[in-house]
């Protein structure tokens, strides 16, 4: 009977139908969605930290307002995504506990430091650019609540990408010192941005099932290539050099060829040993403790309201 259910589920997904929270789904489907969506939520929340570092030092009031709005958007994305995880039957408290204990993963990219203002430009341009490449396909993911959250998130990500590219334009077309800052940020963020897409397809243990069930609609390598093809002309327009001597247009493939990725660095970062992993988790733990009284007050208020409703 289980086999029949699985077949029916596959047909349903193959027919481009959305799976909703109360529908039957294979346990492995539920499990991998909980894994991916919670990691995604954590990434949004931890992702606020490297940029928040620059809010008070943004070079003008306009830049400050824009960055503040962007960082607030990331918090909102985290909240939609924690809600999406809850539809799969896991409490968000448990999900957050897994982040704070170091058990859950979040995107490798947020374990790198933001050393100069140009890093804020590079993050918007490259990191949010990579996030969009990955998340546009997730608007068509088979799980309804995740797909719907992604539509709004992608709209906001496009604004983030543009604010980043606009900072890069200002710097790249500015003084020689500003241009050098932009180049330095590109040098440091390029390779980690390519790693965001995850291991290459032949080393990606979750891909086979996720593709079969249409959770992922494009493979890690396909998306990485799309991102590179889209970004190279943007770097050329800025007059900046991508730090990859092997980068070259391949007429036959219709894509850019690129040099080897340092996977050792990637695995090192995702196992907790990147340059800022400890700092990021410490900051999240501190924020969680400092917010405890707010959560308790909100819960007490909700209980009081529920009692009043009964009366
Ligand atoms: N950072 C941290 N961990 C990663 C990364 C990364 N960049 N890429 C892959 N991994 C982890 C996977 O989570 C998986 O770990 P797990 O099995 O312990 O959970 C392992 O490496 C192997 O990778 P895959 O089998 O390729 O995993 P998966 O099929 O889940 O693909 C991907 C990874 C592409 C990141 C997918 O999970 C995804 O599309 N997630 C949603 C998007 C997302 O999370 N974006 C966050 C950054 S964007 C932003 O927040 C602005």
């Amino acid at each position: 009977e289980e086999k029949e259910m699985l077949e029916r589920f596959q047909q349903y997904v193959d027919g481009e139908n959305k799976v909703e929270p109360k529908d039957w789904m294979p346990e492995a489907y539920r499990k991998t969605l909980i894994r991916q969506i919670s990691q995604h939520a954590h990434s949004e929340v931890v992702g606020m930290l490297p940029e928040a570092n620059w809010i008070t030092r943004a070079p003008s009031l306009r830049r400050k307002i824009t960055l503040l709005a962007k960082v607030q958007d990331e918090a909102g994305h985290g909240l939609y995504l924690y809600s999406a995880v809850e539809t799969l039957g896991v409490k968000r408290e448990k999900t957050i506990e897994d982040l704070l204990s170091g058990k859950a993963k979040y995107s490798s990219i947020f374990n790198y430091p933001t050393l100069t203002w140009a890093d804020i430009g590079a993050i918007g341009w490259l990191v949010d650019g990579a996030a969009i490449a990955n998340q546009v396909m997730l608007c068509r993911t088979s799980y309804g609540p995740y797909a719907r959250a992604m539509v709004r998130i992608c709209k906001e990500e496009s604004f983030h990408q543009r604010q980043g590219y606009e900072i890069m334009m200002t710097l790249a077309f500015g003084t020689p010192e500003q241009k050098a800052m932009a180049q330095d940020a590109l040098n440091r963020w390029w390779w980690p941005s390519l790693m965001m897409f995850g291991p290459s397809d032949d080393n990606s243990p979750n891909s086979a099932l996720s593709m079969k069930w249409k959770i992922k609609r494009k493979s890690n390598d396909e998306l990485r290539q799309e991102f590179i093809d889209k970004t190279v002309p943007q770097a050329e327009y800025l007059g900046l050099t991508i730090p990859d001597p092997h980068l070259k247009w391949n007429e036959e493939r219709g894509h850019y060829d690129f040099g080897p990725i340092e996977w050792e660095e990637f695995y090192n970062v995702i196992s907790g040993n990147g340059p800022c992993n400890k700092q990021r988790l410490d900051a999240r733990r501190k924020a969680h403790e400092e917010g405890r009284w707010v959560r308790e007050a909100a819960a007490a208020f909700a209980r009081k309201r529920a009692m009043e409703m009964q009366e």
Side-chain angles (χ1 to χ4, degrees):
E1 197 191 355
E2 170 87 12
K3 196 166 158 257
E4 211 174 284
M5 299 280 269
L6 269 171
E7 266 167 30
R8 222 178 310 143
F9 180 80
Q10 190 66 51
Q11 275 172 12
Y12 185 78
V13 166
D14 287 343
E16 294 295 334
N17 300 296
K18 294 283 178 242
V19 180
E20 295 299 335
K22 288 185 174 166
D23 294 345
W24 183 86
M25 61 186 85
E27 261 322 291
Y29 179 85
R30 184 189 303 279
K31 239 178 107 186
T32 202
L33 275 173
I34 293 173
R35 179 188 65 79
Q36 177 170 326
I37 304 175
S38 62
Q39 287 177 1
H40 194 166
H42 301 327
S43 305
E44 299 284 356
V45 170
V46 176
M48 289 193 280
L49 297 170
E51 290 179 297
N53 185 29
W54 280 92
I55 290 174
T56 54
R57 292 181 281 164
S60 70
L61 183 60
R62 181 175 155 259
R63 292 291 189 206
K64 187 178 290 204
I65 294 166
T66 315
L67 183 58
L68 196 56
K70 192 209 150 175
V71 172
Q72 283 175 341
D73 285 351
E74 309 291 2
H77 298 174
L79 295 180
Y80 310 146
L81 290 168
Y82 284 126
S83 299
V85 182
E86 288 197 305
T87 66
L88 291 156
V90 203
K91 284 258 170 286
R92 80 172 63 192
E93 288 79 5
K94 160 84 177 65
T95 316
I96 292 171
E97 223 170 79
D98 286 348
L99 169 68
L100 299 181
S101 73
K103 191 173 145 200
K105 290 196 174 75
Y106 58 88
S107 184
S108 50
I109 194 74
F110 301 120
N111 293 304
Y112 292 85
T114 40
L115 303 179
T116 73
W117 170 252
D119 289 19
I120 300 304
I123 289 180
W125 173 34
L126 302 173
V127 175
D128 294 306
I132 295 170
N134 167 267
Q135 290 171 16
V136 162
M137 71 143 178
L138 292 174
C139 295
R140 293 187 298 118
T141 192
S142 56
Y143 188 56
Y146 193 24
R148 290 187 288 273
M150 278 301 135
V151 174
R152 176 162 178 182
I153 290 179
C154 281
K155 286 185 186 158
E156 294 179 345
E157 294 292 356
S158 314
F159 152 67
H160 299 172
Q161 199 269 351
R162 280 167 205 199
Q163 70 85 38
Y165 195 68
E166 204 241 344
I167 292 174
M168 292 306 274
M169 281 190 346
T170 305
L171 294 174
F173 300 136
T175 64
E177 288 83 0
Q178 286 175 314
K179 186 168 182 187
M181 248 169 87
Q183 181 64 54
D184 171 61
L186 171 57
N187 292 349
R188 284 180 292 106
W189 289 92
W190 177 253
W191 290 103
S193 297
L194 297 190
M195 293 175 196
M196 278 177 75
F197 294 94
S200 59
D201 294 348
D202 42 5
N203 278 314
S204 161
N206 300 298
S207 275
L209 266 183
S210 289
M211 296 288 280
K212 179 171 164 215
W213 283 331
K214 301 194 189 292
I215 294 172
K216 281 163 80 165
R217 311 293 307 238
K218 286 181 183 176
S219 80
N220 298 2
D221 285 333
E222 256 178 291
L223 289 169
R224 189 169 9 248
Q225 182 75 60
E226 266 182 19
F227 170 74
I228 292 170
D229 292 350
K230 184 180 74 178
T231 308
V232 173
Q234 296 171 353
E236 281 169 359
Y237 177 77
L238 294 173
L240 299 179
T241 310
I242 288 178
D244 177 358
H246 299 281
L247 194 71
K248 194 168 176 278
W249 178 252
N250 182 325
E251 193 64 51
E252 208 172 298
R253 288 201 312 124
H255 292 294
Y256 282 92
D257 289 337
F258 55 98
I261 291 175
E262 300 242 357
W263 291 114
E264 206 183 307
E265 174 181 329
F266 170 77
Y267 287 111
N268 200 33
V269 173
I270 70 168
S271 57
N273 301 313
C276 299
N277 292 59
K278 185 170 179 313
Q279 190 182 331
R280 299 290 181 244
L281 275 189
D282 285 350
R284 282 314 313 155
R285 289 187 189 119
K286 182 162 175 277
H288 192 70
E289 276 315 309
E290 288 175 356
R292 185 176 294 281
W293 71 273
V294 180
R295 291 191 299 279
E296 284 172 1
F301 183 68
R303 273 196 303 276
K304 186 175 148 216
R305 283 304 295 269
M307 251 147 72
E308 281 168 5
M309 298 286 261
Q310 274 174 1
E311 278 164 13

